[in-house]
Amino acid sequence: MANRFVVDANRKKSKIHKELQGHFSEHLGRCIYGGLFVGKNSEIPNVNGLRTDVVEALKEIRVPVLRWPGGCFADEYHWKDGIGPAESRKKMVNTHWGGVVEDNSFGTHEFLELCRQIGCEPYINGNVGSGTVQEMSEWVEYMTFDGVSPMADLRSANGREEPWKIKYFGIGNENWGCGGNMRPSYYADLYRQFQTYVRNYGDNRVFKIACGPSNDDYKWTDTVMEIAGKYMDGLSLHYYTVPGPWSHKGSATDFSEDEYYLTLKKTLFMDELIQNHTEIMNRHDPEHRVGLIVDEWGTWFDVEPGTNPGFLYQQNTMRDALVAAVNLNIFNKHSDRVRMANIAQMVNVLQSVILTEGADMIKTPTWSVFDLYKAHQDAHLVESWIESGTAADGVPQLHESASVDDSGVLHITIANLSADSAADVSCELPGLHPEKISARILSGGIHDHNTFECPHTVSIRDFSGITSAENGFEFSIPACSVMEITIIPSEVTMRGANYIKA
Ligand code: AHR
């Protein structure tokens, strides 16, 4: 019996801001150094020190926004250590992450050059835990003030005459933990103070993001919204998918089927978390002015054997692909409140889209999911629901979302979470006449992953198993797979819209 799936393309809901597919990069392990930045003198092909292969791969998935410099590192980072001639920059100990030397050769200018090359918005996270109001204020002045001022002059002296545009600015990170172990009311007052001096210079408008809760800390959300809600544009939420206890999170590649389903069950908890935090936010902000910013999400497993435990380097399998698919569908469905989400982290750390080893680079299954979902960026969520069976206790077999873009093209993303059973799907499209349907799929066994020796074990391929039916279309989705289905309605063809699939 086929699973009934209904997509009503005429019932448009909230906009899926492209920032829901954002990323996060921290001075942690080999994310920045080696992963993104190799320096101008490296033999690895680079432009201004940034790896060409990695930048090209990130452009392919249309990275919309990138958060930096942390994470826990943000509340230890002093931005003035990372400007000026690289050879005279201060060296420091990266106390959070492996105790290695941080030579500050990647700083503000290098990060903003990275964003320029990728073509994404920067999201800079300021230091509240060990920084000062003046330091934060001067950072914003340094980056965005156009005119004569001490910080604008310093920027010019460092070779950048023009100010940058900085839209997203975070005021502290995890201030309930590594960012100062604060209580919510204390942080909320500090937030009010710090944000006062984060100025809008010229026509630059800063979208200010307050430190939000960890997981289900609803008291944090309630208190911070109560005290500081009217001074913020966004409130962050951090939730990682961790299958085991912190002391034994489990291997990224060597896991049982039970662990596989447990991982997905824990991922699905994101939906409940967003709903509950949204309800609290609704009480303080019924107009939905403040966005929920899920600026750290993803899988967190034990590090790869033999690697530095402080570097958080893990492999990435089809299990990660399904975690990404589920999370991105959830963000789409909650796009009336969720304004941004940033997977942790971009390269070589936790659930990465890219892994590097010296001059080699591989795209992970998670990279492929971002590729399958990119058409949702800035499209409108539409009403959709599926009658799905169960893959395991607490885990539905099918998980989906759908959107319509500005040219009227319908995009569906659907995942089969079952480790071993295909699912027949009968999709109804009320009020829509498909002119052309195409699909792409990422599929494999739950442990399948790419390695430097076999970089293409898991990759996207075209899917030709769609057949049209009276009210829509039908297909069978293989076990453990993620699909993107693109439907060009006949009205779009009749309007002569020039739709080109990127
Ligand atoms: O992403 C790794 C760490 O997880 C971040 O630095 C911190 O914010 C979170 O606890």
Side-chain angles (χ1 to χ4, degrees), residues 19-24 65-67 123 293-298 331 340-344:
E19 287 84 354
L20 295 197
Q21 295 178 20
H23 293 251
F24 169 39
V65 61
L66 179 57
R67 178 173 181 242
Y123 166 14
I293 310 291
V294 190
D295 57 15
E296 289 188 29
W297 67 269
F331 301 148
M340 190 199 295
N342 309 68
I343 189 169

Side-chain angles (χ1 to χ4, degrees), residues 357-379:
E357 222 173 71
D360 295 333
M361 180 203 84
I362 54 175
K363 297 168 179 170
T364 67
T366 300
W367 181 94
S368 295
V369 172
F370 277 87
D371 197 47
L372 293 174
Y373 277 63
K374 65 189 177 189
H376 287 308
Q377 291 189 16
D378 281 343

Side-chain angles (χ1 to χ4, degrees), residues 24 26 28 67 70-73 97 173-174 176 178 238 240 246 296 300 312 344-345 349-350:
F24 169 39
E26 180 165 10
L28 196 178
R67 178 173 181 242
C72 294
F73 184 81
W97 305 121
N173 168 74
E174 296 196 351
W176 36 261
C178 65
H238 289 183
Y240 284 95
W246 280 104
E296 289 188 29
W300 194 324
L312 311 186
Q345 299 189 1
V349 172
L350 300 177

